[in-house]
Amino acid sequence: MATDALDRVNRAIVRELTQDGRLSVAALAERVHISRAHCYSRLNRLQDAGVITGFTVRVDPVKVGLGASAHVTLKLRQHNWRELRATLLAIPEVWHVSLVGGNMDVILLVRARDNADLRRVIFDELQTLPGVVDTQTYMIFDDHASGQTVPPEDPAAA
């Protein structure tokens, strides 16, 4: 099931669960206007197809003691990417890793207790990794997620 094959009901299911992943199947079915059995079946298919990969909780990083956040870009020796990816994901302060094109190769979302802890992560953990040639740090003063979960439905397809 490709994302372009998601129909209106599947898009609604994904959108509702993104807003509240704790919804019961009965409540979800009511919100998307289908039967509970049909909802359960669609939910299973979305999970089996890998469209829904899990359920999680969103937390406010500041309220859980992570007062300093930054996007950190890394310039790498290209042959090191696969080995480095696992290492980066194992660093607790690294919340997100993206391989990108452009002047830098990787963009990280790093969250730390404070600026001193952020400095430690960047200088002692990231810059010392084999294959890292250069880093740049962009402090985050305020951040918000759009809540967008699936591309908007194509009006021509409706």
Side-chain angles (χ1 to χ4, degrees):
M1 176 184 304
T3 55
D4 60 343
L6 290 178
D7 65 10
R8 179 190 56 78
V9 174
N10 284 342
R11 287 174 187 276
I13 288 170
V14 171
R15 203 170 287 115
E16 291 294 334
L17 287 174
T18 301
Q19 296 302 311
D20 183 358
R22 295 175 47 176
L23 279 176
S24 68
V25 174
L28 180 60
E30 184 176 320
R31 288 190 185 185
V32 299
H33 310 291
I34 60 176
S35 73
R36 189 173 64 203
H38 190 196
C39 185
Y40 185 79
S41 173
R42 280 183 177 254
L43 185 56
N44 281 335
R45 284 196 310 262
L46 287 166
Q47 290 174 296
D48 291 345
V51 173
I52 295 175
T53 59
F55 297 88
T56 188
V57 173
R58 289 187 303 259
V59 299
D60 182 328
V62 173
K63 290 181 180 177
V64 295
L66 301 172
S69 296
H71 289 286
V72 180
T73 62
L74 308 178
K75 180 88 174 150
L76 308 177
R77 288 187 204 88
Q78 287 300 315
H79 68 279
N80 290 32
W81 164 243
R82 283 178 175 60
E83 300 83 31
L84 193 58
R85 176 179 49 201
T87 303
L88 291 169
L89 289 169
I91 298 171
E93 294 84 1
V94 174
W95 281 37
H96 189 87
V97 177
S98 296
L99 178 65
V100 298
N103 293 335
M104 292 304 225
D105 301 306
V106 174
I107 299 175
L108 307 175
L109 172 57
V110 178
R111 298 198 189 273
R113 289 186 309 274
D114 52 33
N115 285 345
D117 191 36
L118 183 62
R119 182 180 192 279
R120 176 196 58 78
V121 171
I122 293 166
F123 290 141
D124 298 344
E125 295 195 45
L126 299 176
Q127 289 183 352
T128 61
L129 290 172
V132 173
V133 176
D134 187 31
T135 66
Q136 290 185 19
T137 302
Y138 302 89
M139 295 295 295
I140 298 171
F141 298 119
D142 194 14
D143 63 334
H144 304 275
S146 72
Q148 183 67 21
T149 59
V150 293
E153 193 168 349
D154 182 359

